[in-house]
Amino acid sequence: MIYAILETGGKQIWVKPGRFYDINKIYAKPGEYIKLEKVLLLNNEDNLQIGQPCIPNTYIKGKVLKHMKGRKVTIFKMKPKKNMRSKNGHRQSISRILIESIQTK
């Protein structure tokens, strides 16, 4: 089993080839291929590599499937006895990418 842990958008994601993941928006058109180079850990058939902080000469090839918005997060603020209430919402822009392969140079 091959998998990797990569950093993108300030988050660490455990990825496997052939699966799709939702990450913070990447400025690439749907159908374009991208190269993610911040690989923190790589497990390739019982050969474990840990980067300090990243593994050199290793990257993940992915394809942007589509751009969309995430779930709505509601922010509600209230101060008791002051009659202050505010309700706001936010939807994060995300990109769905398909992991094609994990490659070492």
Side-chain angles (χ1 to χ4, degrees), residues 88-105:
N88 294 317
H90 174 72
R91 291 184 71 186
Q92 183 71 33
S93 296
I94 58 177
S95 298
R96 180 164 284 176
I97 61 167
L98 174 68
I99 303 299
E100 303 253 329
S101 64
I102 300 171
Q103 299 177 350
T104 56
K105 295 179 186 175

Side-chain angles (χ1 to χ4, degrees), residues 8-49:
T8 178
K11 298 177 185 173
Q12 295 178 3
I13 303 171
W14 178 317
V15 297
K16 292 181 182 179
R19 295 188 177 187
F20 64 87
Y21 298 92
D22 294 334
I23 61 173
N24 285 347
K25 187 171 183 178
I26 292 181
Y27 294 100
K29 295 180 182 175
E32 285 186 13
Y33 288 94
I34 58 170
K35 190 163 126 175
L36 302 167
E37 294 182 341
K38 285 192 175 183
V39 179
L40 305 175
L41 181 134
L42 176 64
N43 187 358
N44 189 359
E45 302 298 331
D46 299 329
N47 182 14
L48 184 68
Q49 295 178 6

Side-chain angles (χ1 to χ4, degrees), residues 72-90:
K72 186 163 200 172
V73 177
T74 304
I75 298 102
F76 184 75
K77 296 179 182 179
M78 181 184 106
K79 291 187 180 176
K81 302 176 189 171
K82 303 294 181 195
N83 199 18
M84 195 286 283
R85 291 174 180 85
S86 84
K87 183 176 177 181
N88 294 317
H90 174 72

